[in-house]
Amino acid sequence: MWSLLCIPPLAAMTISDLRSRRIGIVHLIIFGITLLTASLLEFGWCQVLVNLSFNLLTVLLLWLSLYGYSSMRKRRLADMIGDGDFAFALAAMPYLEIREYILFLISSCVLTLAVWWMSGIKGNRSKEIPLVTGMGTCLGAVILYRTITVLI
């Protein structure tokens, strides 16, 4: 229920990323602190520490894989994934268990790529992919789903 407080900064970041491919650091900090606080209130500190540790390991392995891929392609990793995308993935860690977090990363990336690809059919696709928009939409859906199931 407390996680509903994350929706306003989440919506602000999602809209900002969709429009300009940039997210505000203030919205990201507010979102991260609010989601961490909501996670602590809803799940307790023990579960949040477990979530953080396993999800941090997952992000580290993902980062190493992306770094290896970017090295093979002779490109900088910063050209492939933005700092805001990485920071958003870190901010979502305390709220989701490891299985949910991996599913969240995969589904949000697939959703984002599908929407980005379909926008190219209309001819208004940019070179940059709005990953925070996809991740924010998926996380917002998870927050709303959990809140509705608690209320019912």
Side-chain angles (χ1 to χ4, degrees):
M1 191 83 152
W2 290 102
S3 53
L4 283 177
L5 296 173
C6 300
I7 297 294
L10 182 63
M13 286 187 299
T14 301
I15 292 169
S16 174
D17 185 49
L18 188 61
R19 289 184 180 163
S20 66
R21 303 299 185 269
R22 301 207 183 280
I23 60 171
I25 188 73
V26 173
H27 289 124
L28 185 60
I29 290 171
I30 292 171
F31 170 74
I33 291 171
T34 307
L35 191 61
L36 177 62
T37 305
S39 299
L40 287 169
L41 291 172
E42 290 178 14
F43 309 124
W45 65 271
C46 188
Q47 182 63 43
V48 169
L49 287 178
V50 168
N51 291 351
L52 282 171
S53 59
F54 283 117
N55 293 341
L56 189 59
L57 181 63
T58 302
V59 169
L60 180 64
L61 290 173
L62 181 62
W63 183 82
L64 287 173
S65 300
L66 287 172
Y67 182 75
Y69 178 74
S70 68
S71 295
M72 287 186 339
R73 303 249 352 237
K74 296 185 183 354
R75 294 180 64 188
R76 292 180 340 135
L77 183 59
D79 294 337
M80 299 175 74
I81 187 166
D83 294 335
D85 302 329
F86 185 69
F88 187 87
L90 292 176
M93 287 192 303
Y95 189 67
L96 301 167
E97 293 179 8
I98 180 69
R99 185 180 58 82
E100 296 170 329
Y101 190 70
I102 292 171
L103 183 62
F104 159 73
L105 289 175
I106 292 170
S107 61
S108 61
C109 288
V110 168
L111 172 74
T112 304
L113 286 174
V115 171
W116 178 75
W117 180 77
M118 289 190 317
S119 68
I121 294 173
K122 292 183 177 180
N124 58 356
R125 175 174 41 191
S126 71
K127 287 186 175 185
E128 297 174 342
I129 300 172
L131 189 55
V132 171
T133 299
M135 289 192 297
T137 303
C138 289
L139 188 59
V142 169
I143 290 171
L144 292 174
Y145 174 76
R146 284 185 176 179
T147 302
I148 290 170
T149 56
V150 166
L151 293 176
I152 291 178

